[in-house]
Amino acid sequence: MFELPSALPADWQDGTFIGRVDLGAGPSPIVIQNGRARDISRSAPTVSQAIELGNPVLINGEDLGPVNELGLVPPCGQGARILSPIDLQAVKASGVTFAVSALERVIEESARGDPAVAASIRSRLEQRIGAGIKTVVPGSPEAEALKAAFIEEGVWSQYLEVAIGPYAEIFTKSQPLSTVGWGAEVGVRPDSAWNNPEPEVVLIVNASGGAVGATLGNDVNLRDIEGRSALLLGKAKDNNASCSLGPLIRLFDEGFTMDDVRAMEIALNISDATGSVLDGSSSMKQISRDPDELIAQTMSEHCYPDGFALFLGTLFAPSQDRDEPGLGFTHKVGDIVRISTPLLGTLENRVATTNTVAPWTFGIGKLMSNLAARGLLGTGL
């Protein structure tokens, strides 16, 4: 089912990448150039440090051979395992950066997380606020005028504040080392009855606020829990295995730039034992805030000494019914989620519940102990 070579971008032999693997001793950063991988753990034992040293491609390492001959398997497999491509970075996410997702958040809030009520609200709100938020520049005088009009009409929402106001919604999605990678299970809470994947581009940013590359991410979304109250965002977003990244980080170079990110079309496919159940897409061309602005708003009055991964948001918010009419789409255990785009490859995960997915136990303390036992802590950490 999971074969890494098929998950890589079509031009993977021309691009430069960084990721993490476990060859048996513990997590090790690898750099991939010209289709060959090398283990750089002796020079930089974490991905975050490799990025802070400058261009990871210039870091010395042990040649591992062609990537397609490494036999990398998912984290739950036996042998050389591929892991989430980040480690010590903070994991941040941008919310309601697309007009469609902003509208859906308002619908969730108005429906109090009840999918049966959402359909009747959707058509009314699309007519009243849909057109406005699709055309206005967030934080502009026109946006302030639109806000005043929405308030007067009685349809103002905290989600519209971050959709068109001066401040973007930036929240902590997950904890360092808690993200899962390509081929792993992703978790939804067993008490959630309305949820879906969120296919997103994820920027990898260094401590100085410079974007060094990008990967794919699934910001697993519990629509019913967040819809009850925005104060439940942490419960809706940060759970066991609720954040996946991968398969690798593609580093920016002459052949891959931020402009490529701005033009990306992200495809989503969800399938179960019966076949495909949902297809969707997300176009970065429709984002309401530029990626550079979202980085600046994340930095704001904060510091990230190990850098951060930043989910840029999605316009994907499925409203079509999966089973019963009027209840919309929600995941089932066993769903296979594939998020793909030509320049970053395919991130593939199987859906399970958070209480059945393998618990997150390998934190910063265990990583430091592992690196010390391997004699890698003298490399600058």
Side-chain angles (χ1 to χ4, degrees), residues 50 182 188 254 259 266 268 296 301 312-313 367:
W182 165 87
V188 296
E254 292 182 357
D259 283 339
I266 313 301
L268 170 75
E301 299 299 318
L312 295 179
L367 174 62

Side-chain angles (χ1 to χ4, degrees), residues 326-350:
L327 294 185
F329 175 87
T330 195
H331 270 311
K332 294 182 180 180
V333 170
D335 282 350
I336 301 297
V337 181
R338 298 179 183 89
I339 298 169
S340 62
T341 194
L343 292 176
L344 295 178
T346 300
L347 173 61
E348 186 170 345
N349 300 102
R350 178 184 179 275

Side-chain angles (χ1 to χ4, degrees), residues 14-342:
D14 299 322
T16 53
F17 305 85
I18 190 168
R20 292 167 67 237
V21 299
D22 185 345
L23 302 176
S28 294
I30 59 169
V31 166
I32 299 165
Q33 186 179 29
N34 299 322
R36 298 184 70 87
R38 64 180 189 277
D39 180 347
I40 61 170
S41 59
R42 291 285 166 188
S43 301
T46 66
V47 169
S48 62
Q49 187 190 17
I51 288 171
E52 293 307 316
L53 288 175
N55 187 351
V57 173
L58 302 178
I59 298 174
N60 293 325
E62 174 190 356
D63 182 61
L64 300 175
V67 175
N68 57 339
E69 296 179 9
L70 292 182
L72 291 170
V73 299
C76 55
Q78 299 296 318
R81 300 182 297 129
I82 187 167
L83 308 174
S84 167
I86 65 170
D87 40 44
L88 298 180
Q89 291 92 340
V91 186
K92 310 295 287 188
S94 314
V96 293
T97 52
F98 291 82
V100 171
S101 61
L103 183 61
E104 285 299 316
R105 295 295 87 78
V106 177
I107 291 167
E108 288 169 14
E109 180 184 48
S110 301
R112 297 294 187 266
D114 185 346
V117 178
S120 62
I121 295 173
R122 185 171 288 109
S123 59
R124 175 174 60 86
L125 290 184
E126 282 178 346
Q127 293 176 2
R128 297 184 70 185
I129 68 177
I133 61 175
K134 290 177 182 177
T135 58
V136 74
V137 176
S140 66
E142 292 78 11
E144 286 300 307
L146 184 63
K147 173 181 176 178
F150 285 156
I151 291 174
E152 185 175 343
E153 290 183 37
V155 294
W156 186 243
S157 162
Q158 57 201 330
Y159 291 107
L160 294 176
E161 176 64 51
V162 293
I164 67 175
Y167 300 124
E169 179 189 19
I170 305 292
F171 60 91
T172 296
K173 168 61 184 179
S174 194
Q175 311 308 308
L177 288 173
S178 71
T179 62
V180 299
W182 165 87
E185 289 185 323
V186 289
V188 296
R189 291 178 60 97
D191 55 351
S192 171
W194 187 22
N195 49 70
N196 59 253
E198 290 196 346
E200 304 188 25
V201 177
V202 183
L203 293 179
I204 308 303
V205 184
N206 63 24
S208 300
V212 300
T215 189
L216 291 170
N218 184 354
D219 173 14
V220 179
N221 182 32
L222 308 184
R223 302 188 68 180
D224 48 356
I225 292 178
E226 184 182 353
R228 293 172 195 161
S229 169
L231 297 180
L232 292 174
L233 181 67
K235 186 174 289 293
K237 290 290 189 180
D238 188 3
N239 297 293
N240 190 34
S242 66
C243 179
S244 66
L245 294 165
L248 299 166
I249 297 165
R250 184 163 192 168
L251 298 170
F252 290 136
D253 56 21
E254 292 182 357
F256 178 61
T257 69
M258 186 68 86
D259 283 339
D260 290 306
V261 169
R262 294 184 176 104
M264 280 184 172
E265 302 286 333
I266 313 301
L268 170 75
N269 172 263
I270 303 172
S271 60
D272 62 13
T274 68
S276 181
V277 295
L278 182 69
D279 289 291
S281 64
S282 186
S283 174
M284 287 295 294
K285 294 177 183 178
Q286 297 185 42
I287 198 167
S288 58
R289 299 182 194 265
D290 188 77
D292 283 336
E293 180 192 348
L294 293 172
I295 291 173
Q297 293 226 20
T298 304
M299 294 291 289
S300 187
E301 299 299 318
H302 212 313
C303 297
Y304 297 92
D306 296 304
F308 58 90
L310 177 61
F311 281 72
L312 295 179
T314 183
L315 63 78
F316 175 75
S319 57
Q320 58 266 51
D321 297 325
R322 181 171 190 175
D323 292 319
E324 297 181 44
L327 294 185
F329 175 87
T330 195
H331 270 311
K332 294 182 180 180
V333 170
D335 282 350
I336 301 297
V337 181
R338 298 179 183 89
I339 298 169
S340 62
T341 194

